[in-house]
Amino acid sequence: MAQARQSRALIIVNTDFCSSTGDEALGARRGAKREAEKLSKALSELNYKVKLMHNSTAREMEDLYQQECSREHGDFFVSIISSHGEEGAVFGSDCKPLMLTRIFRILSPQNCPVLAERPKVFFIQACRGGTLDQGVFLETDGGQPEPCSFSEYLRIPPNTAVMFACSPGYGAFLNPSGSSFLQALLRALDGEERSLALSRLATRLNGDVALRFQARGTYEGCKQMPCFVTNLPREVFPFSAMSESHWLLPSLAAQGGPEEEEERQPGCKKSLAT
């Protein structure tokens, strides 16, 4: 009987940034490298074949996803990106943005048939704007929520789920101990939550970050709320022993910061001018 192929994980962590002119246009991200190494170890222990890349340029990041199209894959593909960012993009170590739509296009069924049948899961630790979440006090349930809409950048390929560290337009927090979002993911992978379906795991991560985290220092009292977007047509268990081949779908190929005190990662375009 042939041995089952390992699922693959790609982790990209950018901590040091320098533009083509030699300027450090984006701040260093202390704590992110060690956090990524812990995530690599945790996923390896869950039988993932992990590729961990430090300080990749925007072009190198794009090439890493392109390379996945020619590799053998198991039941799942998981990718974690930890970098500066803005709405719809993450920054390479060269301070150039890589549009998320470009990554998703590379991994679409048309361009990456090898992953068409496999659930693809992204965890993205990066700012999505410069607004700070001041948190809210809920006193009654009688009010009507403000209307909202998904970003135009959230066009994801079939059979894909993306979890962002923060909501559209807001900043993500990082300190030398790591980010509240990826630290919550680490706790989940190390605990019983790893056996949950991805949708339930994402809900646990939402609660962990929203209820346990509160910035200190300059950004005292600010909060953070992750955001989960999915078009998976069924429950998947990417970190559980239940992740067997029967979770695969029929072929889709034919379907057409704050820092030390809590730093907000300065990932907006305006940060490039500072």
Side-chain angles (χ1 to χ4, degrees):
M1 181 177 179
Q3 185 177 3
R5 289 174 294 184
Q6 280 184 295
S7 292
R8 291 184 58 85
L10 172 61
I11 302 176
I12 300 174
V13 54
N14 293 331
T15 58
D16 301 302
F17 299 81
C18 189
S19 67
S20 58
T21 60
D23 298 327
E24 293 185 3
L26 294 170
R29 302 179 63 250
R30 292 184 291 168
K33 180 179 179 180
R34 183 180 180 186
E35 182 175 69
E37 291 170 346
K38 290 181 178 179
L39 285 163
S40 177
K41 183 175 183 293
L43 288 171
S44 295
E45 292 174 350
L46 293 173
N47 201 36
Y48 274 82
K49 186 174 183 179
V50 182
K51 184 168 188 176
L52 172 60
M53 300 299 295
H54 292 104
N55 292 327
S56 302
T57 65
R59 179 57 184 272
E60 289 169 343
M61 293 168 69
E62 182 176 332
D63 288 345
L64 286 168
Y65 287 103
Q66 191 67 59
Q67 291 167 18
E68 292 299 325
C69 297
S70 59
R71 301 188 189 279
E72 290 191 351
H73 287 267
D75 290 348
F76 299 96
F77 173 69
V78 172
S79 185
I80 299 172
I81 303 175
S82 178
S83 187
H84 286 300
E86 62 184 8
E87 180 59 20
V90 289
F91 286 102
S93 60
D94 55 352
C95 299
K96 294 182 179 180
L98 173 60
M99 302 303 295
L100 296 178
T101 50
R102 176 57 185 159
I103 297 174
F104 299 150
R105 191 176 302 119
I106 290 171
L107 300 181
S108 67
Q110 293 77 17
N111 295 323
C112 187
V114 71
L115 282 174
E117 300 177 6
R118 290 161 173 79
K120 294 164 283 291
V121 183
F122 289 83
F123 297 93
I124 300 179
Q125 166 62 36
C127 286
R128 302 179 68 188
T131 304
L132 294 177
D133 190 340
Q134 303 296 331
V136 295
F137 291 98
L138 299 179
E139 296 180 355
T140 71
D141 60 358
Q144 294 296 321
E146 295 183 4
C148 62
S149 61
F150 284 115
S151 163
E152 62 178 299
Y153 298 110
L154 295 186
R155 296 190 297 270
I156 60 178
N159 208 16
T160 301
V162 184
M163 190 163 193
F164 295 90
C166 54
S167 301
Y170 286 87
F173 287 83
L174 175 75
N175 63 44
S177 298
S179 63
S180 58
F181 175 58
L182 293 183
Q183 289 297 310
L185 177 59
L186 274 168
R187 286 191 291 272
L189 296 180
D190 190 46
E192 62 181 15
E193 291 89 351
R194 66 174 179 266
S195 65
L196 296 175
L198 181 63
S199 58
R200 293 190 63 194
L201 174 65
T203 302
R204 295 286 183 94
L205 294 181
N206 279 349
D208 193 338
V209 176
L211 300 178
R212 292 180 54 161
F213 170 75
Q214 182 169 299
R216 300 181 298 275
T218 304
Y219 302 97
E220 180 72 37
C222 288
K223 303 287 287 182
Q224 184 174 321
M225 185 67 205
C227 181
F228 183 57
V229 182
T230 178
N231 62 14
L232 293 171
R234 65 181 69 179
E235 296 280 26
V236 296
F237 299 77
F239 309 116
S240 167
M242 295 178 65
S243 58
E244 300 173 357
S245 59
H246 64 268
W247 295 111
L248 299 183
L249 297 175
S251 175
L252 296 172
Q255 298 181 15
E259 203 73 24
E260 182 68 45
E261 319 167 309
E262 292 306 341
E263 299 185 334
R264 178 175 56 83
Q265 298 178 45
C268 304
K269 284 186 177 178
K270 62 183 180 182
S271 301
L272 297 175
T274 59

